[in-house]
Amino acid sequence: MIEERSGWYGTAPEDLGLIDLSPTEMMYWLYCPIKLPRGDLTVPANLRQFRPVVARVRQNLSQWAWDESYVYLTAKTLWVSQTEPGNRPGWHSDGFMTDDVNYVWSDSEGTLFWEPEELCMFSQDHVASLPEMEREAEGGPHKTYPDKHLLKLDERVIHRVPDFAEPRIRSFVKVSVSRHRYPLIGNSINHELNCDWDQVERAEDRNCPTGGTQ
């Protein structure tokens, strides 16, 4: 396991500090694999501008976790607005019911986190948990972190895409570290890695990144 699971939700992310990047190329890369278990880091050329983010993740992980995990890179530089936020809306947990670890970074309009005084439990079901998270988290308290700071999330961290007062270009980066393949149809392909996986259809509701496979 990469991290110990607690079953209680509403913890804060860990702030790993500033990474001062200023992406300008419009892009949409979704869960692109950049490392396989016991394999070398292999980053597509267009994503190498985010190597400082990946390097900070590598520093934060144990040698074993890095060596034995799949590592995926999501990078989006998009025109966003309140109606087109660039990520799925709604309160949720990344890596829900797994020991996956996710690291998120944005250059502006930071992710909104729910940080209650007391942690709570949610149904251990991808569909049933979503209205529960929405009901508990929407009332706050909420927190955002400084722009361009890398934040570490496990499944206990509940968050959502922020509200956008004005349309703008926004860059968002996520590094996902997992023991599992992410085989959903539509995920970005790294043509330099041998990822000949059986692919799984995406769900209409919020997806389990493994497609229910382990």
Side-chain angles (χ1 to χ4, degrees):
M1 294 179 64
I2 297 169
E3 296 284 339
E4 187 69 25
R5 292 177 59 199
S6 74
W8 292 90
Y9 295 88
T11 61
E14 180 181 352
D15 189 341
L16 300 181
L18 175 69
I19 301 178
D20 192 9
L21 303 176
S22 298
T24 58
E25 177 187 2
M26 298 284 270
M27 60 173 59
Y28 190 106
W29 292 75
L30 184 62
Y31 292 122
C32 180
I34 58 172
K35 197 191 80 65
L36 306 181
R38 295 170 296 283
D40 295 328
L41 183 66
T42 305
V43 182
N46 290 54
L47 295 176
R48 289 174 191 160
Q49 61 184 304
F50 304 115
R51 291 286 294 257
V53 175
V54 178
R56 187 73 58 86
V57 170
R58 172 65 190 89
Q59 292 171 2
N60 185 256
L61 291 169
S62 70
Q63 185 69 47
W64 181 90
W66 177 260
D67 288 344
E68 298 299 317
S69 298
Y70 295 90
V71 180
Y72 305 91
L73 181 56
T74 294
K76 304 176 183 180
T77 298
L78 301 170
W79 184 262
V80 296
S81 67
Q82 190 57 33
T83 57
E84 298 290 339
N87 287 316
R88 287 195 182 191
W91 293 98
H92 65 281
S93 156
D94 286 356
F96 184 57
M97 297 191 298
T98 75
D99 56 5
D100 292 3
V101 181
N102 288 273
Y103 299 79
V104 300
W105 177 99
S106 61
D107 64 348
S108 61
E109 304 287 349
T111 298
L112 193 63
F113 294 91
W114 175 55
E115 298 185 9
E117 292 185 5
E118 296 184 4
L119 305 183
C120 71
M121 295 286 291
F122 294 118
S123 298
Q124 296 296 283
D125 179 274
H126 282 281
V127 176
S129 62
L130 290 177
E132 295 174 359
M133 293 178 185
E134 195 74 24
R135 182 171 59 251
E136 291 291 337
E138 189 58 31
H142 303 145
K143 182 175 178 178
T144 57
Y145 289 79
D147 292 344
K148 300 187 178 183
H149 277 226
L150 185 65
L151 306 174
K152 179 181 181 180
L153 290 60
D154 62 19
E155 65 135 359
R156 299 169 295 175
V157 179
I158 307 301
H159 58 285
R160 69 168 172 85
V161 67
D163 298 317
F164 296 107
E166 299 289 341
R168 61 176 301 148
I169 292 177
R170 177 181 186 252
S171 291
F172 171 84
V173 178
K174 179 163 71 170
V175 178
S176 304
V177 182
S178 177
R179 295 183 291 118
H180 309 298
R181 295 176 176 179
Y182 287 5
L184 296 183
I185 293 173
N187 285 356
S188 297
I189 297 170
N190 188 338
H191 295 278
E192 298 181 44
L193 292 178
N194 182 18
C195 299
D196 188 17
W197 304 337
D198 292 335
Q199 293 187 308
V200 180
E201 290 284 353
R202 311 186 79 85
E204 183 177 349
D205 50 42
R206 189 169 300 279
N207 285 293
C208 169
T210 66
T213 62
Q214 301 296 324

